[in-house]
Amino acid sequence: MATVEQKLVDSDETGMRLDRWFKVHYPELAFGALQKLLRTGQVRVDGGRVKADTRLEGGQTVRIPPMAAGGGAPKGPLTARTMRNRSDEDALRAMILFEDKKVMVLNKPAGLAVQGGSGVLRHIDGMLEAFRNQKGEKPRLVHRIDRDTSGILVVAKTRGAAQKLTASFRERDTQKTYWALVKGTPKKREGHISNWLVKEPTPDGDKVRIGKHGEPGADHAVSDYRVVESAGQRVSWLVMEPHTGRTHQLRVHALSIGCPILGDPKYFEDDPNWEFPGGMQKKLHLHARRIVIPHPDGGVINVTAPLPPHMVQSWNLLGFDQADAEKEE
């Protein structure tokens, strides 16, 4: 026999509209059916009548009446989707560097897109479908890194965590550290780069150039860098810290100091007097090495991602010791 259920609103769901809350918890319940339940007073919050656009608060109790046939909540995890994306689940689990109830931090491999686009068949955002929970919530991206860049990618597992993490990135409460292998050696061993970047569409996808303050579409971009080690005057290992999050920011900033990142298909121009070091793979040598970010529940997440195989190979060929940078991290 069907019974009435009393369901608590989670603290992460504070501010969520009631109709959206039902869509998350009872995705098979049609909107029209929900409206009828609301009109007849069968759905109540803390005992009172409510409307579809009522904003919920954590700790409130929602009265759930017996659902009409076919309108109940799915039982357990979404097994069909989970089975269909089993390989995605396994791949994502292999990337996890940190995980708790609110947050996942992944070590994204180079070449795997974060989101879909033209010609993109597989991407992190789509793979996260395999991690939908019993409420139907899919983990949310809170920032991006380029397809060819490897390393740290932070994912929120709840709506509330997504809001707080997104705010941390927007308000620059996050410390991001990248490692790059670049052509040549910067004139200064360490420096501060501050300029304006403009993104423009090209037949080969978006490309970014340095613009002027006040130019349409120009965004301010700020990065710091320091040289850890150089191999003669041919190649240098940089630690880079972006303080803003513009498209291709570090790649364009490296180019702006005359030291484009090795293997960059967009910003590394061929030079007849310079040869790619033998034994190295012609892949982008840019890695999101470390992140320090406030945890949604308090405290700090501090995670470091190991280098991808092609960069490990390059470090070994050049005789660079990873510990040289880690001493100062």
Side-chain angles (χ1 to χ4, degrees):
M1 180 178 177
T3 58
V4 171
E5 181 183 358
Q6 301 289 340
K7 196 172 184 73
L8 276 176
V9 177
D10 190 271
S11 60
D12 283 331
E13 297 169 332
T14 295
M16 184 182 284
R17 282 173 52 122
L18 182 63
D19 52 1
R20 172 62 184 156
W21 186 88
F22 265 89
K23 187 174 181 180
V24 168
H25 291 273
Y26 301 93
E28 296 176 15
L29 180 66
F31 182 73
L34 172 61
Q35 291 283 49
K36 183 176 180 180
L37 294 172
L38 290 167
R39 283 197 305 271
T40 56
Q42 295 183 66
V43 169
R44 293 174 179 255
V45 175
D46 287 347
R49 284 178 174 261
V50 284
K51 297 181 179 180
D53 61 357
T54 296
R55 298 283 179 176
L56 297 171
E57 296 289 334
Q60 289 183 318
T61 301
V62 182
R63 180 187 187 274
I64 312 295
M67 297 295 178
K75 302 298 181 183
L78 303 182
T79 54
R81 178 178 283 113
T82 302
M83 292 302 293
R84 186 167 67 247
N85 292 317
R86 183 66 191 180
S87 61
D88 285 348
E89 180 180 356
D90 290 344
L92 284 172
R93 289 200 183 282
M95 297 178 206
I96 293 174
L97 298 169
F98 169 88
E99 183 180 20
D100 62 15
K101 292 182 179 180
K102 300 289 182 70
V103 185
M104 280 195 301
V105 180
L106 306 178
N107 184 15
K108 186 191 79 67
L112 177 62
V114 172
Q115 289 183 297
S118 177
V120 176
L121 300 178
R122 196 181 197 199
H123 50 84
I124 295 288
D125 192 35
M127 295 168 72
L128 288 171
E129 289 285 351
F131 277 71
R132 280 192 185 271
N133 61 21
Q134 293 185 8
K135 295 180 181 179
E137 285 184 303
K138 170 189 160 187
R140 298 163 168 84
L141 299 168
V142 294
H143 70 125
R144 317 283 183 269
I145 58 175
D146 295 339
R147 178 175 184 166
D148 293 326
T149 302
S150 59
I152 297 284
L153 186 69
V154 180
V155 178
K157 296 175 71 174
T158 68
R159 178 174 175 268
Q163 291 174 334
K164 291 181 180 179
L165 290 167
T166 300
S168 292
F169 279 101
R170 184 175 60 247
E171 295 164 11
R172 304 183 191 177
D173 291 334
T174 303
Q175 179 187 339
K176 296 175 285 184
T177 303
Y178 286 71
W179 284 8
L181 204 59
V182 303
K183 172 187 172 184
T185 303
K187 292 179 181 178
K188 297 180 180 179
R189 296 292 295 180
E190 55 184 69
H192 180 77
I193 305 170
S194 175
N195 51 29
W196 298 82
L197 302 182
V198 179
K199 182 168 64 173
E200 297 176 327
T202 75
D204 297 322
D206 290 339
K207 194 167 181 179
V208 175
R209 63 172 173 81
I210 294 175
K212 297 179 180 179
H213 180 33
E215 184 177 348
D219 290 314
H220 191 215
V222 180
S223 304
D224 287 319
Y225 76 88
R226 63 182 173 87
V227 178
V228 180
E229 195 170 352
S230 297
Q233 297 296 312
R234 297 187 65 216
V235 175
S236 295
W237 166 16
L238 303 188
V239 169
M240 306 187 77
E241 294 186 358
H243 300 292
T244 50
R246 311 306 180 199
T247 300
H248 300 173
Q249 176 174 321
L250 294 181
R251 297 162 66 178
V252 177
H253 276 177
L255 177 64
S256 75
I257 60 172
C259 298
I261 298 173
L262 298 194
D264 192 329
K266 288 182 181 287
Y267 304 103
F268 193 102
E269 297 180 357
D270 289 334
D271 180 349
N273 298 317
W274 192 89
E275 291 185 6
F276 207 88
M280 288 188 192
Q281 297 181 51
K282 291 188 179 181
K283 294 182 178 181
L284 182 68
H285 281 64
L286 179 63
H287 178 67
R289 173 67 174 175
R290 183 185 180 203
I291 195 160
V292 181
I293 186 171
H295 191 286
D297 288 342
V300 173
I301 300 169
N302 185 342
V303 181
T304 299
L307 289 175
H310 74 280
M311 290 180 70
V312 171
Q313 181 182 17
S314 297
W315 258 242
N316 290 339
L317 285 167
L318 294 168
F320 289 165
D321 184 349
Q322 295 184 35
D324 288 345
E326 291 165 350
K327 293 172 188 172
E328 302 176 42
E329 287 183 351

